[in-house]
Amino acid sequence: MYKSELARLAGVSANTFRRYLNTRRDVLARMGVSPRAQTLPPKAVKFIVEDYCIDLPEKFQ
């Protein structure tokens, strides 16, 4: 899933979402996510969705 998709689902701008991700950089790095990555692996998406309280549509679950 793209970071921009998650930002849209969270109802925030891409810049706001990027700042949030920077606060979780150490956790995401342990999952193998680069700060410059545009797409996120399922494990990282699950963490972000739970941490940021994002409701995913059925097609993404």
Side-chain angles (χ1 to χ4, degrees), residues 19-45:
R19 285 192 302 271
Y20 155 74
L21 291 177
N22 282 337
T23 67
R24 305 297 192 267
R25 183 178 289 180
D26 58 332
V27 175
L28 294 171
R30 285 194 300 263
M31 292 181 190
V33 177
S34 162
R36 295 185 181 263
Q38 291 183 1
T39 59
L40 298 167
K43 180 171 43 172
V45 172

